[in-house]
Amino acid sequence: MWDGTLSAADFQYASKEFMKLWNHEECNMNQWSWEERPESSAQGYLILEGVSLPEIETPLMHESLSMETDDKEELFSDDATLTDLTSQPSRCTYHVIYNESYNVPTIYFRGYHSDGSPINWLDIHMSLPSHLAQQMDQNRWTFLTQEEHPYLHRPWFMLHPCGTSSIMSLMSTERLKQKSRGYATPPEPRKRGEGEDKQAVPSRSSDLEFDTKLEFIPSIREAPTNQVGNYRDQYLLTWLSFVGPAVRLPVPLDLFKSLN
Amino acid sequence: MGLTEPSDSEALTPSGHGPDEASEVRSSASSTLMFAPWQSAVDEGFWHRMASFKLETQRLDEHPVPVSGFFAPCSHPQIPSHLQLLEESLPPDPGGSSSTSHSAVIGNRNKCPAPGTLYNTNTLESFTGMDRPSLLKSAALQIWEDIHSGKAEEDSNVLNRFLLISFADLKKWSFLYWFAFPAIVLTPSATVSSCTPVSMAFSEEESTGIRGACSEWRSTETTASSPFFLLHFTSDGAVNARPIRDWKVANEEGGKVISAYYDPYNRTYPGWPLRNFLALAVVRWEVTELRVLCYREKRGFLDPELSLVVDVELPKIPEWKVQGFIPKGVGWELNSRGKARPRIVHLAASMDPERAANQAADLNLKLMRWRLLPSLNIPLLSSTKCLLLGAGTLGCHVARNLLPWGIRHITFVDYGKVAMSNPCRQSLYNLEDCLNGGKPKAEAAVASLKRIGPVEARGLCMSIPMPGHSVGPAEVDSVLADCSRLKELVDEHDIVFLLTDTRESRWLPTLLCAAANKVAINAALGFDSFLVMRHGAGPAFLEPEISNSTEDEISAPTYDGRLGCYFCNDIVAPLDSTANRTLDQQCTVTRPGLAPLGAALAVEMAVSLLHHPRRIFAPAAQAVAITDATVEALGILPHQVRGFLAHYTQLVVTGAAFDKCTACSSIVVDEFKKRGMEFVLEVLNRPNYLEDLTGLTEMLAATQGLTLDWDDEDDEM
Ligand SMILES: [Zn+2]
């Protein structure tokens, strides 16, 4: 059984395939680009910039500086200056980088409020209704943390990659099962000591969450059965359909249709 | 797409996406052409770079520094393109930071460079005191001169010149800044006679030609980062993109010439960069009418719906021909709330190395919690205060093991100095700590711990008063002070680790913990065996009712009586154990692996206890077979663990509290509570006092002197 990982070369290949798919789709999403990094085993990484996040509101910054200026208005505008600018949404940049320890893609992201201040995702995460936050904590693919960007060497938010391969592996297994049985089956319970049942409950509910997601992702039902060569083509799209919602990156479902 | 245009009569044609929305074409004659101000966006990377630039290169120098801004044509109907400052906007790190592999200032199609000038001030006062009117004026003048000299036609980027003033507070990691995008003011203003989407202004054939020409301009390396260009509709029906210096040539060649520029704005007004370009057209080309294409993109190509075609009527401005005329400039940026104030950004969360270390240190714990231990209480761990009595072999290892569990408050108490023989076994010290007589251990341990990770550590160089070490009259005050200090320390902390190298030095802390009902974790080493135990609750304390005492399943049978302390096993009072020993006996000689093992278990036991709902009252779990899984998140919580290295074996042991215990029995605790330090002093000075008090003397007389010390006994094997 495929373990859900990708080699660096596979990642590079999958990225190119993914860009072909996404960037040619007629929709209003921004385009992914490939940042060359010859020093890395995957030779580079994927970048998506300027995604607007209308639902994240800019916090009212305390005016920490009561700097009064007597600057005349004419320094700022004249009668040819449009002053009625509508407020701009927050925006976000995503980097998909190959993780050499886990052999899976990892999503790094960073957002700015309209005033240029960085979005603190941990704060946003904290402010989620508790059941949602809990879900995010317990879902394997949505473990939010802040880590140093491997190429930019500054802290970026990221979803920790330690659950990625198992979810991807599970996906392909599910796909095979469905193909043969024609319906989705719940994933097998985690193999842990019997006595650990109690602790396993939250994890199990996240698996159930996963199960319902299966129903909604067309690739599961519609994509051709996993021929081993095929997983690379769809890897990033399938993976993003899981992690995207957790980082406010909408993945157009239409893309899945074009897979067939 | 839900564009909400200002409803005022000046509103231009919406560049809507449906054909219905786009059908309204503005026709009313000569109204002022309005420009949407440029908006700045500063990447965190710029501030990171600026911080190191300030510290390493610029220092106190306030001279202006050239910076490069970057922008691209608007490519999204909802978001204008900003003028961005990135890490590479500043000159590269002389040290050669690996993260800036792109060489600075070389633009590309998505990073069209704009030349800027940065004035970074050293103080808030000089920031607020900057003469903004004259900065703006001189920047506008420079643009004016570049127009007149023809430089702007050779390098059209100079029309997008900008200013940035800033003050970097590197203590708080906050940056105060203010942009200006200087635009030369035309008086009277330019007016607009028509403004439509490209798709409406041209025939389909022309549109195709324009798209092709723009695409070539945008994809040719030499032209892609030139934001102003011409579109030449030749007489034979072709459309060519040409640099603006070709204005006269192209017009002479015949056909039709329109201007085009990378427009950052997304709505139905032209963006700010057009302003200086119009000034150029007035000055250099002396035209009164100009057709301009505001170039905006979709997926890398001209977006015919988003891009505008504006027919501009330009004024004649006689004063501009006067030698030495100084134009008026406009363009300081308003802050995000539309106020004439600077912007401020706080980046402590990502730039403060201490906070970053904290977060990184917590990461593994969070992973652990998320994957295996959903009940792991990270906030509890990070707020728990640990008192480590002894900063020797055990103390060092215990401290190091507390850190990865997310313990953030550690206090060391030790009287010793780091000796040459220490660093090998005592993992917090190195040879340097031994020089010049050695640093005090408590101090060196704190310094060492802080170098390892985020922790609030404190060290106290003091001795722990011990029974049998009698106190002379001269020392009474200082010994009593030590006693009181120790009592305060016990009261201030949540967990007390007893890690000293003698038995009698554990007596007073044991008593203090019993009297205050503090969790005490005790680790002691023999030569090849160790004991790790938690003391039971104090004798006078009743367990508070647990409100929702859910009868949790547990793995093992338990003993729920009051648990014993280190001294409960003894039937002799602690005495000066060093008095009758030779020198090599005084050194704690143990197998090197023992201390790390014992210390690690002590920490694990403490963490388990913290997670037990009954805490100090938690019953002692008996051993369960290792083939049986445990129910509790962290496994069973035993009372004592005894390890026997020679046998590679550990035992889980339970010992009840002994009613004649010299440290934790109610007789002793009551006496201490009654008489306080006076009682302690008496214990220190009178060898048999404790035994008399507790009735041990009597008992001993009755049973005739068995001396059981735990590491001698092997009956439990
Ligand atoms: Zn006791």
Side-chain angles (χ1 to χ4, degrees):
Chain A
M1 194 184 95
W2 177 47
D3 66 357
T5 62
L6 276 182
S7 72
D10 280 350
F11 173 73
Q12 195 182 356
Y13 172 83
S15 297
K16 301 284 154 76
E17 288 302 306
F18 171 68
M19 278 164 70
K20 268 190 229 160
L21 196 63
W22 181 294
N23 291 353
H24 278 110
E25 180 61 24
E26 277 300 314
C27 67
N28 265 333
M29 291 300 293
N30 297 26
Q31 293 190 87
W32 287 90
S33 60
W34 178 256
E35 173 85 4
E36 294 283 346
R37 288 288 174 167
E39 73 271 27
S40 76
S41 62
Q43 306 293 315
Y45 58 90
L46 285 165
I47 294 181
L48 180 69
E49 285 180 316
V51 176
S52 65
L53 302 164
E55 77 273 27
I56 293 180
E57 287 184 11
T58 302
L60 269 186
M61 289 282 281
H62 49 286
E63 198 90 347
S64 53
L65 183 83
S66 56
M67 177 176 157
E68 290 304 327
T69 65
D70 50 3
D71 289 350
K72 295 199 186 91
E73 205 197 318
E74 62 181 28
L75 291 178
F76 302 91
S77 60
D78 60 356
D79 57 6
T81 304
L82 189 65
T83 49
D84 187 15
L85 296 177
T86 45
S87 70
Q88 301 303 329
S90 305
R91 56 200 192 284
C92 193
T93 297
Y94 300 93
H95 289 181
V96 171
I97 300 176
Y98 183 68
N99 185 302
E100 316 212 354
S101 335
Y102 289 88
N103 300 317
V104 292
T106 311
I107 192 158
Y108 287 78
F109 53 101
R110 191 182 47 172
Y112 292 99
H113 295 294
S114 56
D115 65 353
S117 60
I119 295 174
N120 186 335
W121 291 87
L122 296 171
D123 284 352
I124 288 175
H125 178 57
M126 299 289 233
S127 67
L128 288 174
S130 60
H131 68 281
L132 269 180
Q134 224 174 358
Q135 216 169 60
M136 275 191 69
D137 277 347
Q138 288 161 2
N139 280 345
R140 305 166 194 208
W141 56 91
T142 54
F143 181 66
L144 177 67
T145 174
Q146 198 176 21
E147 281 234 317
E148 188 179 286
H149 188 290
Y151 301 103
L152 303 178
H153 305 293
R154 290 190 298 274
W156 278 53
F157 291 97
M158 56 109 78
L159 293 184
H160 205 275
C162 53
T164 304
S165 62
S166 56
I167 196 95
M168 291 306 292
S169 167
L170 202 56
M171 287 288 298
S172 77
T173 320
E174 280 309 304
R175 215 181 276 171
L176 283 170
K177 277 188 203 158
Q178 271 166 315
K179 189 72 180 176
S180 57
R181 294 183 203 166
Y183 58 89
T185 45
E188 282 166 30
R190 297 206 289 170
K191 289 182 185 62
R192 297 184 56 164
E194 283 265 86
E196 283 173 304
D197 272 6
K198 217 179 187 96
Q199 295 308 325
V201 165
S203 325
R204 188 171 295 163
S205 71
S206 71
D207 284 342
L208 290 175
E209 171 71 11
F210 161 72
D211 194 29
T212 53
K213 278 189 177 182
L214 284 182
E215 304 287 338
F216 289 109
I217 291 178
S219 73
I220 302 302
R221 288 197 303 258
E222 293 166 19
T225 315
N226 180 20
Q227 297 109 25
V228 175
N230 213 2
Y231 69 88
R232 295 186 304 179
D233 302 7
Q234 302 164 19
Y235 192 106
L236 287 174
L237 190 58
T238 311
W239 167 69
L240 269 184
S241 66
F242 284 105
V243 301
V247 298
R248 317 284 164 110
L249 172 61
V251 177
L253 285 184
D254 285 352
L255 292 185
F256 288 97
K257 290 188 183 133
S258 54
L259 280 177
N260 287 356
Chain B
M1 295 298 290
L3 294 188
T4 49
E5 292 303 321
S7 59
D8 103 39
S9 60
E10 297 281 298
L12 302 173
T13 314
S15 68
H17 295 269
D20 309 341
E21 275 182 292
S23 60
E24 184 198 325
V25 178
R26 183 193 162 74
S27 55
S28 70
S30 60
S31 56
T32 300
L33 176 58
M34 307 286 280
F35 303 90
W38 217 339
Q39 296 178 52
S40 66
V42 187
D43 187 273
E44 257 179 290
F46 177 81
W47 300 122
H48 280 254
R49 178 73 197 96
M50 174 142 154
S52 66
F53 180 76
K54 167 91 185 136
L55 292 171
E56 284 149 30
T57 310
Q58 193 186 25
R59 297 170 199 240
L60 292 180
D61 190 354
E62 285 194 350
H63 280 94
V65 175
V67 290
S68 304
F70 299 100
F71 81 106
C74 172
S75 62
H76 197 289
Q78 260 86 52
I79 310 176
S81 138
H82 295 69
L83 184 99
Q84 281 192 299
L85 289 195
L86 308 171
E87 183 175 0
E88 56 263 42
S89 293
L90 273 166
D93 210 328
S97 153
S98 61
S99 64
T100 49
S101 69
H102 310 271
S103 58
V105 198
I106 295 172
N108 60 41
R109 55 177 287 138
N110 292 318
K111 269 185 173 176
C112 186
T117 307
L118 164 68
Y119 297 84
N120 187 36
T121 62
N122 290 323
T123 61
L124 184 58
E125 290 69 33
S126 66
F127 177 85
T128 50
M130 292 216 88
D131 186 352
R132 288 178 293 279
S134 75
L135 282 175
L136 182 65
K137 198 169 171 184
S138 63
L141 186 62
Q142 198 176 354
I143 293 167
W144 178 255
E145 283 164 358
D146 287 344
I147 289 172
H148 277 267
S149 70
K151 187 179 173 189
E153 278 149 284
E154 292 303 321
D155 176 9
S156 62
N157 286 301
V158 299
L159 295 172
N160 288 334
R161 190 173 289 288
F162 69 96
L163 294 174
L164 172 61
I165 61 174
S166 65
F167 165 63
D169 183 345
L170 297 185
K171 289 211 178 66
K172 292 186 195 142
W173 303 103
S174 65
F175 299 84
L176 196 62
Y177 65 102
W178 210 336
F179 274 87
F181 302 105
I184 292 167
V185 175
L186 274 65
T187 325
S189 304
T191 57
V192 55
S193 57
S194 141
C195 177
T196 57
V198 164
S199 60
M200 309 270 315
F202 295 102
S203 69
E204 200 152 309
E205 199 185 334
E206 283 172 316
S207 289
T208 311
I210 293 170
R211 182 181 156 103
C214 290
S215 173
E216 197 187 335
W217 183 265
R218 294 277 293 140
S219 54
T220 307
E221 207 178 323
T222 48
T223 57
S225 57
S226 297
F228 298 90
F229 58 104
L230 304 174
L231 290 170
H232 185 202
F233 298 72
T234 63
S235 27
D236 59 2
V239 186
N240 298 319
R242 303 180 63 165
I244 55 173
R245 64 169 174 269
D246 286 359
W247 173 261
K248 287 204 168 68
V249 187
N251 273 293
E252 281 160 18
E253 283 171 15
K256 182 169 70 168
V257 180
I258 71 166
S259 307
Y261 74 105
Y262 297 172
D263 190 351
Y265 198 55
N266 60 326
R267 296 178 187 263
T268 56
Y269 297 87
W272 204 248
L274 181 57
R275 298 195 68 159
N276 289 333
F277 185 73
L278 294 183
L280 181 143
V282 169
V283 170
R284 299 285 290 179
W285 303 339
E286 300 184 318
V287 290
T288 53
E289 284 183 343
L290 197 68
R291 177 166 258 222
V292 182
L293 186 151
C294 307
Y295 177 85
R296 299 165 183 179
E297 282 188 342
K298 183 179 188 180
R299 298 190 167 263
F301 295 101
L302 174 89
D303 183 338
E305 306 303 329
L306 199 57
S307 302
L308 305 175
V309 175
V310 189
D311 287 315
V312 187
E313 288 164 12
L314 292 162
K316 285 192 189 315
I317 312 174
E319 311 90 274
W320 279 21
K321 308 223 163 173
V322 178
Q323 190 69 33
F325 174 82
I326 293 179
K328 199 172 155 235
V330 65
W332 281 102
E333 190 182 28
L334 299 172
N335 75 7
S336 58
R337 289 199 274 163
K339 295 221 174 97
R341 297 257 178 86
R343 295 173 182 231
I344 188 161
V345 62
H346 303 279
L347 296 177
S350 70
M351 291 182 76
D352 186 343
E354 209 163 297
R355 283 174 69 166
N358 244 315
Q359 247 173 359
D362 279 344
L363 175 65
N364 279 318
L365 272 185
K366 284 191 193 162
L367 281 176
M368 194 153 96
R369 181 171 82 105
W370 164 70
R371 296 207 85 171
L372 304 162
L373 292 170
S375 57
L376 188 66
N377 191 338
I378 297 174
L380 170 67
L381 291 164
S382 66
S383 63
T384 296
K385 298 188 172 74
C386 293
L387 178 63
L388 273 54
L389 302 178
T393 313
L394 280 168
C396 286
H397 284 296
V398 164
R400 291 218 56 148
N401 281 307
L402 286 171
L403 284 193
W405 270 113
I407 298 283
R408 294 284 176 267
H409 301 271
I410 294 176
T411 305
F412 292 100
V413 169
D414 200 296
Y415 188 67
K417 292 185 170 174
V418 185
M420 281 301 206
S421 60
N422 295 153
C424 257
R425 284 169 181 251
Q426 306 186 2
S427 61
L428 289 176
Y429 311 123
N430 56 44
L431 281 176
E432 254 172 60
D433 296 324
C434 315
L435 302 180
N436 305 317
K439 290 182 189 149
K441 279 187 176 176
E443 201 179 280
V446 167
S448 175
L449 213 54
K450 283 186 171 170
R451 279 198 297 273
I452 292 165
V455 65
E456 280 175 39
R458 195 153 68 101
L460 285 99
C461 188
M462 61 175 275
S463 59
I464 298 170
M466 296 182 270
H469 296 240
S470 61
V471 182
E475 305 160 326
V476 169
D477 286 349
S478 77
V479 168
L480 285 180
D482 284 344
C483 291
S484 313
R485 238 160 113 205
L486 192 64
K487 182 177 183 304
E488 281 162 26
L489 284 170
V490 167
D491 290 343
E492 284 164 17
H493 289 77
D494 304 306
I495 298 189
V496 181
F497 285 90
L498 309 186
L499 309 167
T500 52
D501 52 7
T502 60
R503 206 168 68 90
E504 60 270 25
S505 58
R506 298 164 197 252
W507 175 79
L508 180 57
T510 300
L511 168 63
L512 293 173
C513 287
N517 204 34
K518 282 284 166 179
V519 175
I521 305 283
N522 199 333
L525 305 175
F527 166 69
D528 61 1
S529 57
F530 63 82
L531 163 71
V532 171
M533 67 181 294
R534 57 187 174 103
H535 292 181
F541 293 89
L542 282 178
E543 183 175 5
E545 284 284 317
I546 300 175
S547 51
N548 53 346
S549 58
T550 45
E551 282 303 316
D552 281 346
E553 271 184 84
I554 46 172
S555 308
T558 57
Y559 169 75
D560 208 353
R562 187 165 87 86
L563 295 173
C565 78
Y566 184 57
F567 296 96
C568 281
N569 292 324
D570 298 342
I571 48 173
V572 286
L575 275 177
D576 186 350
S577 59
T578 57
N580 302 317
R581 287 188 186 177
T582 59
L583 187 68
D584 62 323
Q585 280 175 316
Q586 279 185 43
C587 284
T588 15
V589 182
T590 71
R591 284 177 66 164
L594 216 54
L597 282 170
L601 283 175
V603 170
E604 299 300 314
M605 189 184 272
V607 171
S608 287
L609 188 146
L610 281 173
H611 282 83
H612 196 286
R614 292 174 62 189
R615 298 289 187 89
I616 198 169
F617 298 100
Q622 313 296 311
V624 287
I626 52 169
T627 47
D628 294 347
T630 58
V631 176
E632 301 85 354
L634 291 166
I636 64 166
L637 176 56
H639 176 222
Q640 303 177 23
V641 179
R642 295 180 180 207
F644 305 89
L645 202 46
H647 298 81
Y648 288 91
T649 298
Q650 272 169 213
L651 291 179
V652 165
V653 178
T654 302
F658 177 39
D659 65 355
K660 294 184 170 57
C661 174
T662 54
C664 79
S665 62
S666 52
I667 313 167
V668 174
V669 172
D670 287 349
E671 198 68 13
F672 168 68
K673 285 190 173 164
K674 214 186 305 168
R675 297 170 54 205
M677 293 308 164
E678 188 198 322
F679 163 74
V680 174
L681 207 58
E682 187 162 0
V683 172
L684 304 189
N685 282 326
R686 276 182 52 195
N688 296 320
Y689 174 56
L690 277 176
E691 283 155 352
D692 294 345
L693 178 72
T694 54
L696 271 179
T697 316
E698 246 170 84
M699 193 181 89
L700 276 176
T703 56
Q704 272 310 315
L706 283 165
T707 54
L708 289 180
D709 196 16
W710 69 267
D711 47 357
D712 297 331
E713 65 192 15
D714 51 7
D715 50 346
E716 273 151 316
M717 296 295 287

